[in-house]
Amino acid sequence: MPRPFVRAFLASFTSSIIVLAARPARTQSGAPAPTSLVGARTPAALGALVLQRFATGTPEAFDSVYPDRFGREVVRRAVQQKATRRGDVSRAVWRDAHRAVILLGGTVVSESSEDDANRTRAFSGLYEAVDSGGRWTIARKLPIDSGNAIRAHTLHVTLTPGKGIRVTDTLALAVGSPYGFTVRLNGRARLSTVRLDGRAADYVFGGNVLWVRAAPRRRAQLVLTYTLDEERPEGGDSTQRGARSAAPAYGAYHNTFVWHPFFEYNSANDLAQLDITVRLPAAYHLTTSLPQTETVRDGVRTVHGRSQEPDFLGAIIYDRDWRPETTTVEGVRLESFLAPGFPYTHDSLAAELAPVYRLLSARFGPLASRYIAAVEDRAIGASGFRVRMNDAIVSGSRPRVLSDTAYVPTAAFAHEVSHAWTMNATGPAANFLREGWATYCEALALGMRYGPEAADALREISRAGYLSGPEGRQSILGDPDNGRLHYAKGVWIFSMLNTIMGDSAFDRGMRAYMRHLGGRAGYEELIAELSRAAGRDLHGFVMPWLTEKYIPDIRTEIDGQRVIFTQVQPGATFELPLDVELATAAGPVRRTVQLAHRADTVDVSDVGAVAAVRLDPDHHLLIQRHLGEVVRFAVHAPEAKSVTLLGPARPTPATRSGDDWVVELPLSEGRYFWAWQIDGHVDEPGTPGGAPSHYGVRVVRPLVPVPPAH
Ligand SMILES: [Zn+2]
């Protein structure tokens, strides 16, 4: 999912290891060059053709008219999932003699409008079409936000629990694009007013995008009025489902519901002042996910939230049973919205927050908003703290732990708290800047509470999760949507930067980067600020971690008084400060060697004869490791028909041995979460009735040479 900040640990990290590991590899379609695309005689005919193939074509037929790999993936997935596709709108919104801009909007019909909007996001939008000898073809997708900006939303919302919301959004805009103003909005919104600078506007709405004809102007005001039905979310308490006739106890309009317009989860142009006023029956409490005040009059509660720093999408969560409480923790206003059955009290959350906030604010500066809402969101089901929306950290109704070191080390609450520092990161590496950062901070919090081994354990488990999935398949810049990659590789990138720069320079660089948040704050700004703080250029170190699908795989060869280090991974060469331990007659000798080429030769004549070289003995770097163990996993399952081992590697079928099932795997030194899938069923920590012998953690020592993982 895009920017829901759905985190993955414990409750879901283990399952995400499993689920993602079990997911088939992404099939990359061979992209024909645009010139080989099928075209049409006019831009309008081309739009109609693409839309028709989006709705009814095979993936191959669609690919033959449409070049963007992410949009192609929308159709491919929809076909795999047998989901209905709908072509909603196409319109040539601009043209000159040989170029045109076409709006295309479609929907992959889903159970919820939230899924509609997010599944189709990579398709619906603006496209550049070009004419070559009377044949128009799609040249490329255009960024939906280019030239335009949303500076502020003033939202007035009337909420009827169980029924829906009526919204008036007054947007302060800047229009710089010659192609009008285009935003994303939940496709099931029923628009009644679209007024631009006081006049009824020419607009097109469909496929979860709204296009408004607008000439460039520095300031404009767009007023939208619409209604949206309330949907009972999938994860919600089943007693609430289908209970639309009776007023439900709780409900939510999450940011990912796209209940008001925005551009894109990673855009810098829609970071806006949010001012949200919600009126609802006084029996209910509500959070706007922002610092807020409220009044109650004549049976109506009016809640007014206002962002202290720019945000891109608001969130509304309400519940009749909450007992809101507010205290000040380390200068931050902590407001909790918890129902009586929630396993943690306000005071226990405050006690959890205080040391984490002290740690993070001492290193990276205080929070600009000085406000945190801790929200029990029954609409997301029985999970724990796992989502951040603006100033709200959001939990399902059954967090098992706030932090823990059993199995997968987790500091879920700290993770969500720490999002505040980089949440407005932008650009294609935004999810790395958010989730890698939050997981890095989670490791800091674990280290503070349980000692450095706990922080190491989180990184090691993340490494195993990374190797069993994204390695060789995905890169951070090539796969920008929120996924395991951004957590598991991201925690390593931030940890490596911290290690090679030291706390003082790293913290200074991060603080300088954070001053960019609210505008363009992507990986370029991060690298520039970290380089400045370090006093040296870190591009060469950072970039391969973002652009490459493979981590470094370094082989060594001892050649007399020299050691030759060769990087054998496919793709680019990494610049690495590599710690090595040289085995000599006088005992082990530590060195740090600077790798910068495919092969680097290092003179070791000063230490005498070198018998062996051990790379990165302290596990400071995310690199392939060549020592490990052959690990035997066995489970007693006499009745089982099929058994697969998940976690340490890609899913591995077990072989039957009497009443047991066995997998033998060479694993490199590290720490691995594992779980058995027995006849399709997976137990994991906390599974009610789950068998502890069906999952666990294995620490693998550096005993024998093993082939590189995966
Ligand atoms: Zn997160």
Side-chain angles (χ1 to χ4, degrees), residues 5-7 415-416 419 435 438 487:
F5 303 115
V6 175
R7 63 183 306 277
H415 176 109
E416 299 308 335
H419 267 312
E435 298 302 350
Y487 298 77

Side-chain angles (χ1 to χ4, degrees), residues 4-9 386-388 415-416 418-419 434-436 438-439 442 482 487:
F5 303 115
V6 175
R7 63 183 306 277
F9 292 111
R386 61 171 204 164
V387 188
R388 171 121 197 165
H415 176 109
E416 299 308 335
S418 65
H419 267 312
R434 293 176 197 133
E435 298 302 350
T439 312
E442 186 172 359
N482 190 337
Y487 298 77

Side-chain angles (χ1 to χ4, degrees), residues 162 245 300 458 482 559 656 685:
S245 50
V300 174
L458 174 58
N482 190 337
D559 175 23
R656 187 188 273 279

Side-chain angles (χ1 to χ4, degrees), residues 106-249:
T107 302
V108 177
V109 179
S110 311
E111 221 171 273
S112 71
S113 65
E114 175 176 12
D115 286 349
D116 279 2
N118 289 303
R119 284 170 89 182
T120 320
R121 200 165 46 84
F123 171 68
S124 295
L126 296 176
Y127 291 85
E128 181 181 287
V130 290
D131 165 35
S132 165
R135 188 176 64 99
W136 287 85
T137 52
I138 301 283
R140 63 185 177 117
K141 183 152 74 185
L142 298 173
I144 198 170
D145 61 349
S146 65
N148 294 336
I150 303 174
R151 307 259 187 243
H153 294 267
T154 305
L155 290 145
H156 285 270
V157 180
T158 305
L159 190 159
T160 309
K163 293 276 189 294
I165 48 177
R166 180 182 167 79
V167 180
T168 297
D169 188 3
T170 303
L171 299 98
L173 312 178
V175 183
S177 164
Y179 317 132
F181 189 80
T182 312
V183 283
R184 303 195 184 283
L185 174 64
N186 187 307
R188 294 188 204 169
R190 287 183 297 276
L191 276 164
S192 54
T193 306
V194 180
R195 295 181 77 82
L196 183 69
D197 287 336
R199 292 204 195 112
D202 176 19
Y203 71 94
V204 178
F205 180 46
N208 306 283
V209 288
L210 169 68
W211 174 84
V212 179
R213 181 183 300 284
R217 64 196 82 178
R218 208 173 292 171
R219 284 164 197 280
Q221 188 190 63
L222 179 66
V223 180
L224 308 177
T225 300
Y226 52 91
T227 57
L228 265 169
D229 289 342
E230 190 162 313
E231 294 168 33
R232 304 313 302 179
E234 274 172 61
D237 182 338
S238 59
T239 59
Q240 289 282 327
R241 247 177 257 160
R244 194 165 296 175
S245 50

Side-chain angles (χ1 to χ4, degrees), residues 630-676:
V630 178
V631 183
R632 185 172 188 273
F633 295 89
V635 64
H636 187 73
E639 310 294 322
K641 300 259 179 305
S642 84
V643 176
T644 301
L645 183 74
L646 305 179
R650 301 211 166 121
T652 314
T655 29
R656 187 188 273 279
S657 165
D659 285 350
D660 291 352
W661 294 78
V662 177
V663 169
E664 284 196 4
L665 276 179
L667 293 174
S668 62
E669 55 184 301
R671 193 179 171 94
Y672 298 84
F673 177 83
W674 56 267
W676 290 109

